[in-house]
Amino acid sequence: MFDSKKSSIIKDLDKLSFEYVPEKLVHRESQMASLRMLFRPVIESGRSATAFLIGSVGTGKTATAKRFCLDIRRYAMDAGKPVDHHIINCRRNNSDSSVLLSLIRHYDPGYPDRGFSVSEMMKSVKKHVEKRGQHLIVVLDEVDVLIKKGASDIIYQLSRFNEESINVGSSVSLIMISQEYVLDRLDTASLSTFRRTNAISFDRYKRDELLDIVRARSDEALHPGHVRDDSLELMADIAAEWGDARFVIEMLERSAMIAEEAGASEVDAEHVREAKAMTYSVVTESKLTELDRQQKLTLLAVARSIKGDAYVNTGQAEKAYVLACEEYGDKARKHTQFWTYIRSLSDQGLLETSVRGDPDGGRTTYISLPDMPAKVLKEKMAQLLQDES
Ligand SMILES: Nc1ncnc2c1ncn2[C@@H]1O[C@H](COP(=O)(O)OP(=O)(O)OP(=O)(O)O)[C@@H](O)[C@H]1O
Ligand SMILES: [Mg+2]
């Protein structure tokens, strides 16, 4: 079924995956330097550190944290002061116990997922860390999810770890990552601990920065000379609107696949345009700008409530709509009016609706997004609404 011939354009597909962390993250030198500064005491005196990385989607927060941890481990090993790290995605592990479970399993993969209380689990983590006599850096990625759920006690506990630790060599540092500033939502006890936490901000990438990123990635992932320079420029132009590195890398991957599929010898602008159309359409773009304010709020609500799912029911979307109105200082319209917005957005092809029967005999309308990733749409609508007010 698949052609086994060697690919002519793509050299190493893994280098285009989102998990891959390049050896060097261009244009994130200052953030790396800040992290190094904050973590200097870890290496020099075994003390612990806390950092908070903040910035919008695709600005390299996760990648920078990973790169930093790998680098510091290497450095610490040479210095004879072993450092270990563990990354936890708090969207997937959004409670005290699942964060702790993930930590324990870092040491003991067979640890059962039930039967132990939070405090017992905390003790296990401590025991493991102390036994190793290592410094552990815990990265809490998308920590806003955990904090908004009110599960911030675990953050506090981890930060207090060192005060109670007996073994001098073993301590725990924290790197927290979020798209928004959430530390002020912590409970009072944690707040006093984290008030002075050092925030490192990640701005959206500018066009030329995206160009450097995509160029570096194409050097790693593609055979030399098989992508035109103006193609890379075009990718950067397109992605510049979002300032999102994920977008530009995705476009590189798609255009390379399209070019390869077409049997072309190099990636040209036409392949990029095709890749772009797959990612999102410009036509949609201009339509979005022209929507009236209530329709924009409705679409924002749909994008927010649908998250990673294929569909969201109208009830959930309407709740998100009321919240969005509140947030932007607009008056939420009545249910029937909300429906007309949904219908009109559907008429314009910006969303699709389908009616399905429920197990209890009722009928529910589900909404889906035909051609734009919810994440992208969410950002776009929020930006348009902000520009207006
Ligand atoms: N400066 C950079 N150089 C090279 N690649 C980068 C750079 N910044 C980001 N990337 C790549 O872009 C993709 C997205 O970056 P990353 O996952 O770090 O974003 P993020 O800020 O964590 O976004 P989100 O808030 O959505 O989690 C990754 O594949 C990452 O390797
Ligand atoms: Mg991330």
Side-chain angles (χ1 to χ4, degrees):
M1 186 166 111
F2 295 105
D3 225 337
S4 63
K5 77 172 172 11
K6 268 187 96 158
S7 86
S8 55
I9 294 179
I10 300 170
K11 180 173 72 184
D12 185 352
L13 202 54
D14 287 346
K15 300 271 161 72
L16 293 168
S17 88
F18 294 132
E19 277 72 51
Y20 172 68
V21 186
E23 191 64 32
K24 190 176 165 297
L25 291 162
V26 281
H27 301 295
R28 284 302 175 235
E29 292 84 2
S30 78
Q31 285 81 356
M32 281 291 238
S34 303
L35 277 167
R36 272 197 299 273
M37 198 187 73
L38 290 174
F39 279 74
R40 186 177 290 276
V42 170
I43 303 293
E44 286 180 353
S45 56
R47 290 218 308 279
S48 66
T50 313
F52 188 67
L53 313 188
I54 181 164
S56 70
V57 52
T59 50
K61 302 179 295 297
T62 304
T64 300
K66 285 184 180 167
R67 184 73 267 159
F68 174 72
C69 288
L70 294 170
D71 287 357
I72 196 174
R73 280 177 71 148
R74 209 171 352 186
Y75 180 85
M77 175 100 86
D78 293 343
K81 294 178 179 159
V83 168
D84 191 9
H85 83 290
H86 182 61
I87 300 177
I88 301 170
N89 183 293
C90 303
R91 189 173 298 284
R92 287 194 292 275
N93 301 282
N94 59 12
S95 67
D96 283 5
S97 52
S98 57
V99 166
L100 281 168
L101 186 64
S102 164
L103 263 173
I104 300 178
R105 286 195 173 157
H106 174 69
Y107 297 106
D108 176 7
Y111 193 86
D113 65 355
R114 54 192 73 226
F116 292 98
S117 70
V118 165
S119 64
E120 284 168 327
M121 287 165 84
M122 191 67 207
K123 277 198 198 108
S124 288
V125 172
K126 282 187 174 155
K127 225 168 59 204
H128 281 297
V129 175
E130 280 171 4
K131 201 168 84 194
R132 305 283 157 115
Q134 281 176 340
H135 183 85
L136 174 70
I137 303 175
V138 178
V139 180
L140 296 174
D141 201 356
E142 306 197 51
V143 73
D144 47 311
V145 181
L146 197 66
I147 292 176
K148 284 183 191 160
K149 266 197 66 187
S152 54
D153 191 48
I154 176 72
I155 300 174
Y156 182 62
Q157 297 277 339
L158 287 170
S159 74
R160 305 255 315 176
F161 183 94
N162 314 301
E163 290 164 33
E164 294 153 18
S165 171
I166 3 166
N167 187 338
V168 195
S170 58
S171 50
V172 172
S173 283
L174 281 179
I175 297 180
M176 292 179 271
I177 305 178
S178 173
Q179 285 186 6
E180 45 183 323
Y181 189 79
V182 279
L183 288 185
D184 50 358
R185 295 206 192 192
L186 289 169
D187 54 79
T188 342
S190 321
L191 198 59
S192 65
T193 311
F194 292 114
R195 204 185 313 273
R196 286 175 308 276
T197 292
N198 308 283
I200 301 178
S201 61
F202 288 67
D203 291 335
R204 286 170 201 270
Y205 289 114
K206 305 218 169 41
R207 188 253 184 207
D208 289 346
E209 296 175 331
L210 289 165
L211 181 58
D212 291 335
I213 291 172
V214 75
R215 190 172 278 144
R217 200 58 75 92
S218 89
D219 287 346
E220 287 193 85
L222 309 190
H223 291 295
H226 288 282
V227 56
R228 289 170 49 149
D229 214 54
D230 60 353
S231 299
L232 296 175
E233 303 232 3
L234 187 55
M235 292 176 208
D237 286 342
I238 295 167
E241 188 176 350
W242 316 102
D244 178 344
R246 197 174 284 127
F247 205 94
V248 84
I249 293 169
E250 194 169 314
M251 224 143 31
L252 175 66
E253 176 176 12
R254 287 201 176 160
S255 345
M257 299 251 215
I258 292 166
E260 187 130 330
E261 189 67 21
S265 60
E266 58 180 9
V267 179
D268 67 24
E270 197 55 21
H271 303 129
V272 180
R273 278 189 287 269
E274 209 179 307
K276 181 193 178 190
M278 281 166 73
T279 315
Y280 81 97
S281 80
V282 216
V283 189
T284 317
E285 260 287 81
S286 60
K287 273 197 229 160
L288 296 180
T289 320
E290 284 157 21
L291 295 174
D292 71 36
R293 193 162 172 88
Q294 285 293 321
Q295 290 177 334
K296 284 189 183 122
L297 286 161
T298 305
L299 203 51
L300 172 69
V302 170
R304 279 182 177 173
S305 51
I306 203 164
K307 297 184 196 101
D309 301 332
Y311 302 96
V312 63
N313 70 44
T314 39
Q316 283 167 296
E318 190 169 356
K319 275 191 205 134
Y321 160 75
V322 174
L323 287 177
C325 287
E326 224 173 82
E327 185 182 329
Y328 286 92
D330 288 67
K331 190 169 165 288
R333 304 301 197 269
K334 294 226 160 56
H335 179 71
T336 42
Q337 195 62 39
F338 175 72
W339 263 102
T340 64
Y341 301 140
I342 294 286
R343 216 165 301 134
S344 124
L345 290 168
S346 153
D347 290 343
Q348 296 175 68
L350 293 168
L351 49 81
E352 274 165 15
T353 57
S354 56
V355 181
R356 277 188 256 152
D358 295 335
D360 59 6
R363 298 178 76 69
T364 305
T365 304
Y366 287 87
I367 305 169
S368 61
L369 294 170
D371 62 3
M372 226 196 237
K375 232 177 175 170
V376 174
L377 186 58
K378 196 167 70 181
E379 289 259 324
K380 186 70 198 168
M381 296 324 294
Q383 191 193 327
L384 287 173
L385 282 160
Q386 203 170 359
D387 291 349
E388 271 176 18
S389 43

